[in-house]
Amino acid sequence: MEYDKSIVTILIPILSLLVSLNYIPCKAQLSSTFYDDTCPNALSTIRTSIGAAVTSDRRMAASLIRLHFHDCFVQGCDASILLEVAPSEKDAFRNGGVRGYEVIDDAKAAVESVCPGIVSCADVLAVAARDASVEVGGPSWSVRLGRRDSLTTNPDEANNILPLGSMGLDVLIPIFAQKSLSVRDMVALSGAHTIGQARCVTFRARIYANDSNIDPEFASNLRTNCPQTGGDGNLERLDLVTPNTFDVNYFRNLLERRGLLTSDQALFNGDSTDSIVQEYVDNPALFESDFAAAMVRMGDLDPLTGANGEIRTLCTALN
């Protein structure tokens, strides 16, 4: 095959310019101003909806942050966890106990009422996580927008990559590293456990193991609500001190060997992350800053942009 040299001569400087500008076809950059022209009331509409949901159920703040996390770790931040197809990520074992789906559905419906077909479910979920944090006294951050919604869902990936409460640092650090999130990001994001609750089935093994890294009185008290058999769905607060307020008491609990989950206490157990936990206890503002920055990085994981995916009308179904 022969090439027209004149065309090549023209294309080379154009391609060089595109590379210098980091231009990637069909992969637009996320931007905090993405909806300023097409749906200027999008963010305020979502904020109102999320505020009402958290006011009605304070636990919902933690649930929405967790829902965003579970979405982003599987296929990227693409609302694949919201799809109700068979098989679905919703039904994956490692998504057991995840909640808040109906809150996202309501927020999406509210946005659709003011600008139909414009705002993706993935963006609604990302904004909802930020607004949920603010509602319980946590940090705010500028959410980068412009994600599109996935056409697929991946329960197998969910069951392979999502972290479990029974994991130690040796497993957790590689999981986060695979997503280009640092050890500090991992510790900061774990700080979301300063709010919310966990099911008995996720921490039973820890409170009956009689390990040295758990306060005996703490474990004994938890056994009352979490018997060795049965009661899998019984709930305990991840932070016994201020379970509905975003603060650093989660990290203070770790210093006292009162982390509810094995993965919590692993952050302060004589290993590499101990110093970060201590930093956050000593400097709450640093924790909030690191948490916000980590949420932005997590929210940027493999978004669908440009011509990829779609803008779902209903978060639960493909158009």
Side-chain angles (χ1 to χ4, degrees):
M1 179 178 180
E2 296 184 1
Y3 295 94
D4 186 328
K5 292 183 180 180
S6 63
I7 294 176
V8 174
T9 302
I10 294 172
L11 286 177
I12 286 177
I14 294 175
L15 291 172
S16 298
L17 175 62
L18 294 177
V19 170
S20 70
L21 294 174
N22 293 318
Y23 175 78
I24 303 175
C26 295
K27 184 151 185 169
Q29 296 296 310
L30 300 182
S31 166
S32 61
T33 60
F34 189 82
Y35 297 114
D36 281 7
D37 294 328
T38 56
C39 189
N41 294 324
L43 298 190
S44 61
T45 301
I46 296 170
R47 182 169 60 250
T48 298
S49 187
I50 298 307
V54 175
T55 297
S56 175
D57 176 7
R58 297 290 284 180
R59 182 187 169 206
M60 189 55 66
S63 298
L64 293 174
I65 294 172
R66 184 187 184 201
L67 184 55
H68 181 41
F69 174 87
H70 278 236
D71 178 45
C72 289
F73 259 57
V74 181
Q75 296 190 165
C77 305
D78 61 359
S80 58
I81 196 173
L82 305 178
L83 271 177
E84 292 182 352
V85 295
S88 71
E89 285 175 36
K90 277 187 178 183
D91 298 328
F93 169 76
R94 294 197 186 184
N95 278 326
V98 174
R99 61 197 290 269
Y101 299 108
E102 73 286 352
V103 174
I104 300 302
D105 290 341
D106 290 345
K108 168 65 171 175
V111 174
E112 284 291 302
S113 70
V114 296
C115 45
I118 301 297
V119 182
S120 68
C121 296
D123 277 347
V124 171
L125 186 48
V127 173
R130 188 271 310 277
D131 293 345
S133 169
V134 173
E135 284 293 323
V136 290
S140 182
W141 55 90
S142 179
V143 180
R144 294 200 277 257
L145 303 163
R147 301 168 189 81
R148 289 168 65 83
D149 299 324
S150 172
L151 301 174
T152 62
T153 183
N154 197 331
D156 290 337
E157 184 176 337
N159 282 328
N160 286 329
I161 199 166
L162 285 169
L164 292 171
S166 58
M167 291 176 173
L169 282 187
D170 58 330
V171 181
L172 291 171
I173 290 176
I175 287 176
F176 280 77
Q178 186 176 343
K179 298 298 179 181
S180 299
L181 294 169
S182 69
V183 172
R184 181 172 287 271
D185 289 332
M186 180 191 73
V187 178
L189 291 171
S190 298
H193 286 179
T194 187
I195 53 176
Q197 302 180 55
R199 296 171 299 147
C200 175
V201 68
T202 64
F203 60 84
R204 178 185 285 115
R206 169 164 163 73
I207 65 174
Y208 284 98
N210 293 316
D211 290 336
S212 60
N213 71 343
I214 186 169
D215 175 65
E217 182 181 358
F218 175 67
S220 178
N221 290 338
L222 290 171
R223 290 173 192 149
T224 303
N225 188 40
C226 185
Q228 284 190 295
T229 57
D232 286 1
N234 293 354
L235 297 170
E236 283 291 348
R237 296 168 293 180
L238 286 157
D239 172 8
L240 294 177
V241 183
T242 52
N244 293 317
T245 302
F246 199 104
D247 55 28
V248 295
N249 278 326
Y250 165 79
F251 295 108
R252 292 193 181 104
N253 293 337
L254 301 185
L255 302 186
E256 302 296 326
R257 297 177 299 153
R258 293 190 172 196
L260 184 62
L261 305 178
T262 296
S263 58
D264 292 327
Q265 196 59 55
L267 302 180
F268 194 84
N269 196 36
D271 291 307
S272 59
T273 54
D274 286 17
S275 59
I276 302 175
V277 171
Q278 189 66 61
E279 279 186 72
Y280 291 159
V281 170
D282 295 339
N283 189 347
L286 176 62
F287 163 54
E288 291 202 358
S289 175
D290 281 359
F291 180 81
M295 287 295 288
V296 170
R297 281 189 283 274
M298 187 189 77
D300 285 353
L301 290 177
D302 299 322
L304 296 173
T305 57
N308 297 311
E310 66 179 13
I311 306 298
R312 290 188 219 136
T313 300
L314 296 175
C315 294
T316 56
L318 298 176
N319 292 342

